[in-house]
Amino acid sequence: MFDALTIALYALVIFLPGLLTGFAAGLRGWVLAGMAPLFTYAIGGLAGPWLAAIGLPFNVLTFVIATIVFTGVAFGLRWLVTRRSRPEPDAPLWARAGHLSVLACLLFAAAVGVFTVWRGLVELDAISQGFDAVYHANAIRYIADTGDGSLFGTSLTNWYAERGGLFYPNAYHLVGTVAYQLSGATIPAIMNTNTLLLPGLLSLSLVAVVREFRGRAVMAGAVALVAIAPTAVMYQSMSRGPLLPFLLGLALTPLGTVALHRYLVRPAMDTGLVFVLAAVGLLTVHSSTLFAGIVFALPMIAQRWLSGRQWRVVGRDLLALLPIGVASMVVAAMQLFGAIGLASGDVPYWGWPSQGTTGSALGTLLSFQHDMPRPQIWLAAALFLGFVFFRKLNGLRWIGGTALVSGLLYVAVSSSNHPLVMAISRPWWDDPYRFVSMAMVPLVVIAGHGLAELATWLKDGISRWRSAPWLAPVTAVVVLAGFVGITNGLYTGANTGWVTPGYGNGPGVDKHKLPVSPDEAQAMLELEKRAKPGDWVMNDRFDGGAWVYAISGVRGVAGHYDQALPPADALLLADRFRDYATDPAVRAAVQRLNIRWVLVGQYGYPPEATRQKGLVGLDGQPFVKLVYRNADASLYQLTP
């Protein structure tokens, strides 16, 4: 079912705190709208760990208080700046009709994005069948239940006991927790609602970039539309993984360049705060997002320094960045030390095998054909036009440098397993899917520019024999509408086809053979009815039971499919739980964890996984009583 209320509420949670803080900091218009979600995640991502450090819970109330505090700080810094001299407002750029046209394109793009993803989900509370989603689902439930907003807390759903958890940036989960507590929707519905909004967030971020660097309105509208079309940018990783915090960070990454540019143009306390919140916000969403923001922004700085040919600008910029860099490190100290500790710790890093050759990787980028049978030819044509008219990008020419750097990274990761490539790509787990997503974001800006310049070329050609004030908007509408039509609604069908398999709702799917089947989920709901607060459930790491905490609120022994660094009790019970009646070590582990229930499903992740040895043959054992069974799952109660 399409739940418009939950979607609207989540959008409000994402935008409202950031809008308040950004407005107080002096942002207006498109830049304010674009930066608002990033500010919200910065507020949540900082407030959670800070509150945990002083022993306070993270919940709706404390998030509201944190928003008030951040807004107050922004207002105070802005007041200190304007008390001396009021900064010049942004120079006018687009006429009212231009603003309305861009808004129309953005809303259309966001609506198509929502429709595409929702069609793939089929149901808003569909359960992701991939490897990564279970961690994020359990993490949101954990924060909602415990109020623990720390950077190690979410991992306690799987890496508990003597290890004390692993670092994981948690802004995605903290803001998701607020939406969960306000809406009363299920955890899967909350996660899917965020996913629905991602294509629109990327379009909005890129519109803010075009506006900040004084691109034309027709280009901003074209970029908003093109951004949601490539399959490899968003939709593949919605199914594979799904890589939810990464995709959120990807949608917000371009905004770091906006904040940096505004600060370098006018270094001051208010613009400095905007930059700090942007940089730290990227880091709190995912550690790799800050690195992606640096890749995105470096060519902009290079263009700024080289175009002016005034070397004093270089020194001034570096001097201005020094205090703001120190401030960012102080504010994000917990995240930085956590990321360093994780990278230098004992979490295994294997990376992914290379996919092909240098030539094939380059062809993938230029044809928008990643792991697909056919290229997205009309996107490739728009990109070709963008390169033809590249010189007309003016203040946005640096985007070509971003495309070059991110493209080279993708080519290297896709075609080589060299140790240096593996080391450089570690923040992204050496994953070609992540790198192709990052590489295609600047390409969609160039492609949108190509469509905008095509409209201008047509207008100029027609005006040679007939000129009229309506000619420019009409040619723009024709080109953009034509692009939407010729791509069959911005490749909606192809993109939906990528989302659907990741949620097990495609035609002909045997739902009993899914990693998390509906019957397994129903057994978890039955557990929720029976369990008491504090009860734990013994579950199999490799069947749908890994979702038991997110769905039922009852902690499971295995909170993730991940086999790396499992707790000692989890290893013991997975191997010997069936010996409960005769093994004192098993009974001691059960008592330590307060296990009162046993949930056994079937199939799982990966599909070829077999049932863990300790859960084989429980029927008829004297220490368990069967209380619920359906086609895919059995729920037992542990007897004294």
Side-chain angles (χ1 to χ4, degrees):
M1 186 179 72
F2 187 82
D3 188 347
L5 182 60
T6 297
I7 296 170
L9 179 61
Y10 206 140
L12 187 66
V13 169
I14 289 176
F15 277 93
L16 183 58
L19 284 172
L20 294 173
T21 302
F23 187 86
L27 298 182
R28 299 293 185 269
W30 286 106
V31 172
L32 172 60
M35 297 295 294
L38 182 53
F39 286 174
T40 296
Y41 281 100
I43 294 168
L46 289 172
W50 289 352
L51 288 165
I54 61 176
L56 293 177
F58 180 89
N59 50 40
V60 174
L61 177 60
T62 52
F63 180 63
V64 170
I65 293 172
T67 299
I68 294 171
V69 171
F70 275 89
T71 302
V73 170
F75 178 82
L77 293 178
R78 177 70 174 178
W79 178 80
L80 289 173
V81 170
T82 57
R83 186 180 63 168
R84 299 175 184 175
S85 63
R86 181 167 293 275
E88 292 292 328
D90 294 341
L93 180 62
W94 302 339
R96 177 177 295 181
H99 285 288
L100 293 175
S101 299
V102 173
L103 179 62
C105 290
L106 176 63
L107 292 177
F108 179 79
V112 171
V114 168
F115 175 73
T116 300
V117 178
W118 177 74
R119 243 181 106 194
L121 298 173
V122 179
E123 300 171 346
L124 191 62
D125 59 357
I127 297 174
S128 171
Q129 303 297 317
F131 178 83
D132 295 88
V134 62
Y135 178 89
H136 306 305
N138 288 335
I140 292 173
R141 185 68 182 237
Y142 172 82
I143 297 172
D145 285 354
T146 67
D148 180 5
S150 71
L151 294 167
F152 294 81
T154 58
S155 69
L156 293 175
T157 58
N158 189 62
W159 293 280
Y160 45 83
E162 68 279 358
R163 179 165 295 278
L166 299 173
F167 166 80
Y168 201 98
N170 59 352
Y172 170 88
H173 313 99
L174 290 163
V175 175
T177 298
V178 173
Y180 170 67
Q181 291 177 328
L182 287 172
S183 68
T186 64
I187 297 288
I190 287 298
M191 295 168 62
N192 294 338
T193 299
N194 182 276
T195 305
L196 287 173
L197 299 174
L198 291 177
L201 287 179
L202 176 61
S203 290
L204 176 58
S205 296
L206 293 177
V207 167
V209 170
V210 174
R211 176 64 181 84
E212 174 65 20
F213 291 92
R214 304 193 65 76
R216 296 185 300 145
V218 64
M219 178 185 173
V223 168
L225 294 172
V226 173
I228 69 160
T231 303
V233 171
M234 285 275 174
Y235 305 104
Q236 285 183 345
S237 292
M238 289 178 180
S239 177
R240 176 189 172 274
L243 308 176
L244 300 178
F246 167 79
L247 290 176
L248 173 62
L250 182 73
L252 302 176
T253 292
L255 297 168
T257 307
V258 174
L260 176 59
H261 182 256
R262 294 180 74 85
Y263 176 69
L264 293 178
V265 169
R266 184 178 63 82
M269 288 185 290
D270 57 339
T271 56
L273 175 68
V274 167
F275 179 54
V276 168
L277 286 179
V280 173
L282 294 177
L283 181 61
T284 62
V285 170
H286 199 274
S287 300
S288 68
T289 306
L290 180 59
F291 290 101
I294 293 171
V295 170
F296 211 91
L298 281 178
M300 182 276 291
I301 297 176
Q303 177 174 318
R304 172 180 168 83
W305 288 350
L306 295 175
S307 61
R309 298 187 183 277
Q310 297 180 9
W311 298 112
R312 287 179 297 178
V313 173
V314 178
R316 190 191 72 179
D317 285 355
L318 292 175
L319 190 61
L321 287 172
L322 182 60
I324 219 68
V326 172
S328 298
M329 287 190 288
V330 171
V331 170
M334 291 185 183
Q335 284 80 7
L336 291 172
F337 283 116
I340 293 170
L342 182 67
S344 61
D346 51 3
V347 175
Y349 167 58
W350 295 296
W352 293 82
S354 59
Q355 292 182 326
T357 65
T358 299
S360 64
L362 182 60
T364 290
L365 292 177
L366 297 179
S367 64
F368 292 88
Q369 184 184 7
H370 180 256
D371 197 15
M372 299 165 62
R374 291 180 297 276
Q376 293 184 297
I377 192 67
W378 297 112
L379 281 169
L383 179 63
F384 173 76
L385 291 174
F387 285 130
V388 169
F389 295 111
F390 186 80
R391 289 179 60 86
K392 294 188 177 183
L393 270 169
N394 300 323
L396 273 164
R397 282 199 297 270
W398 58 266
I399 203 74
T402 301
L404 177 63
V405 174
S406 57
L408 287 174
L409 287 172
Y410 166 68
V411 169
V413 168
S414 182
S415 60
S416 173
N417 290 319
H418 190 278
L420 179 60
V421 173
M422 294 280 289
I424 293 173
S425 62
R426 180 164 185 169
W428 300 273
W429 296 95
D430 187 48
D431 183 4
Y433 280 79
R434 302 181 202 227
F435 278 94
V436 78
S437 295
M438 292 189 298
M440 285 187 181
V441 169
L443 293 181
V444 302
V445 177
I446 299 173
H449 167 67
L451 293 179
E453 289 301 324
L454 175 61
T456 300
W457 180 79
L458 288 174
K459 184 262 296 180
D460 291 343
I462 296 172
S463 64
R464 291 185 186 132
W465 59 273
R466 180 171 183 177
S467 181
W470 47 263
L471 192 56
V474 167
T475 52
V477 168
V478 168
V479 168
L480 297 185
F483 180 77
V484 171
I486 206 167
T487 57
N488 294 317
L490 303 173
Y491 294 106
T492 295
N495 294 336
T496 290
W498 258 96
V499 175
T500 299
Y503 292 84
N505 284 322
V509 171
D510 184 349
K511 292 185 179 293
H512 294 289
K513 294 185 178 181
L514 293 173
V516 192
S517 74
D519 278 350
E520 286 177 314
Q522 183 58 44
M524 299 174 206
L525 295 176
E526 293 296 328
L527 171 62
E528 181 180 19
K529 298 175 184 176
R530 294 170 166 83
K532 297 177 181 179
D535 285 1
W536 278 48
V537 57
M538 177 61 199
N539 62 321
D540 193 315
R541 185 172 301 278
F542 304 120
D543 65 27
W547 274 81
V548 67
Y549 184 38
I551 293 176
S552 72
V554 180
R555 290 287 300 272
V557 171
H560 199 332
Y561 304 125
D562 196 339
Q563 303 176 56
L565 308 175
D569 282 346
L571 277 177
L572 171 69
L573 294 172
D575 188 54
R576 293 155 49 189
F577 178 77
R578 65 193 306 271
D579 299 327
Y580 175 85
T582 59
D583 192 329
V586 172
R587 291 197 299 274
V590 167
Q591 185 174 6
R592 280 193 297 272
L593 297 178
N594 195 35
I595 295 172
R596 294 291 179 266
W597 307 89
V598 184
L599 177 66
V600 179
Q602 64 173 349
Y603 302 98
Y605 194 101
E608 66 272 12
T610 58
R611 183 162 298 163
Q612 291 183 308
K613 181 180 174 182
L615 292 172
V616 174
L618 292 183
D619 280 352
Q621 292 287 352
F623 58 89
V624 290
K625 178 178 68 174
L626 181 68
V627 295
Y628 176 81
R629 173 169 282 168
N630 59 34
D632 295 342
S634 300
L635 177 63
Y636 303 88
Q637 185 174 14
L638 195 66
T639 58

